[in-house]
Amino acid sequence: MVGPGAIVSIPADPVPIKPMVVSGITLEYTSLEQAMQAAGIESQAELERILAPNKAWPHPAHQDGWKLSHDAIRRDMDALLSGLERTRALVESGRALEAWQVAHLQLVVKDMYHNVHAHHDHEEEIFFPWMESRVVVPPKMSSDHKTLMALLDRTRDLAAAMRPGSAQGCKSLVSDLLSTFSTLRAHMRQHLEEEEIVGLPLMRKHFTAAELEVCEKKIVADLKPSDMAFFLRPMDMPTKRATMTRFGIPRLVQTLVLLPAVRRDARTVMHAYAELAAGEQLQRSKGARKGFLCFAA
């Protein structure tokens, strides 16, 4: 573990472009020309045909599990940025850093560390080798992971070093954490969109949804209920149900195993994000369902 006072090389933030949306994929850092060249696609029309539903792919690319897992990472990163910005504003106004804020920051950063690490492991150990059986996966998709994990390590270590205390005593550490995380978020957003606008077309051009299903089942089999709850975070309840059904999860398993994990996730991690963004402890809703928690680890 790198200590919070250690010197870590922080890469410059990626340079944003004018945002545009292509078939449900938002481009903030990668130009359409760069993406098409990397994927070996000659025109935007061809790209959009590949990303649209067709005989080989019954769903559009933005509903693919790879994209949905990225959406969950982006959701959490946006939530943590809001929480950190609010925390810094409170500390800079002279308010002490309280124990609940420290506990929440450490909880959500630990959760994010696990989820991003697991996502990268699934790509490196299962998904990319499967794609490499037919196409060359751009090396940057894998090499980016080292930079991202170094920044995530630094974020984790800064959060772990936090303690409740006076505004003056906590101001520097809170600012360092926000600065490091902001850089991580920018690099992560660039990386995720590159995988989506280059990797998804490569996959859909050379494989079918039925072939992907074999690979996805290996990944889903490695997920705990809490991991699936993370994956489902950005979705409303009907979409959560529909997504689980599309991935072949029996409705009984959804009801008895996964939805209790989703509810537990809402009471813990999601609640922590909400309180950090609000800058105060919020009243929990009464009557929250607590059944089947033995399945929700």
Side-chain angles (χ1 to χ4, degrees), residues 29-160:
Y29 302 98
T30 310
S31 73
L32 191 58
E33 292 73 19
Q34 290 173 322
M36 291 190 298
Q37 182 178 8
I41 294 173
E42 295 183 355
S43 68
Q44 183 173 347
E46 180 188 0
L47 175 64
E48 291 177 348
R49 282 197 302 272
I50 292 171
L51 296 176
N54 53 58
K55 292 182 179 179
W57 294 91
H59 58 273
H62 69 268
Q63 292 180 3
D64 182 82
W66 198 7
K67 170 70 163 58
L68 295 178
S69 64
H70 289 177
D71 289 344
I73 293 172
R74 277 186 285 252
R75 192 225 76 90
D76 280 8
M77 289 201 154
D78 290 348
L80 181 51
L81 181 65
S82 296
L84 282 172
E85 288 178 338
R86 180 62 172 155
T87 301
R88 183 181 65 174
L90 291 171
V91 169
E92 289 185 345
S93 73
R95 200 172 101 173
L97 188 65
E98 299 181 33
W100 69 266
Q101 292 171 297
V102 172
H104 281 0
L105 284 169
Q106 291 174 345
L107 170 67
V108 298
V109 169
K110 180 179 179 181
D111 178 78
M112 181 178 294
Y113 189 92
H114 165 77
N115 291 321
V116 172
H117 214 305
H119 177 73
H120 288 175
D121 286 348
H122 288 145
E123 287 180 333
E124 298 283 358
E125 297 170 9
I126 300 174
F127 196 64
F128 289 167
W130 171 74
M131 286 186 65
E132 288 278 4
S133 67
R134 292 185 193 170
V135 300
V136 176
V137 175
K140 192 173 183 296
M141 287 190 188
S142 182
S143 62
D144 275 355
H145 291 171
K146 295 178 182 178
T147 298
L148 294 170
M149 290 313 300
L151 288 167
L152 191 56
D153 285 347
R154 176 69 173 162
T155 299
R156 174 201 59 189
D157 295 346
L158 288 168

Side-chain angles (χ1 to χ4, degrees), residues 7 23 35 99 118:
I7 298 175
S23 300

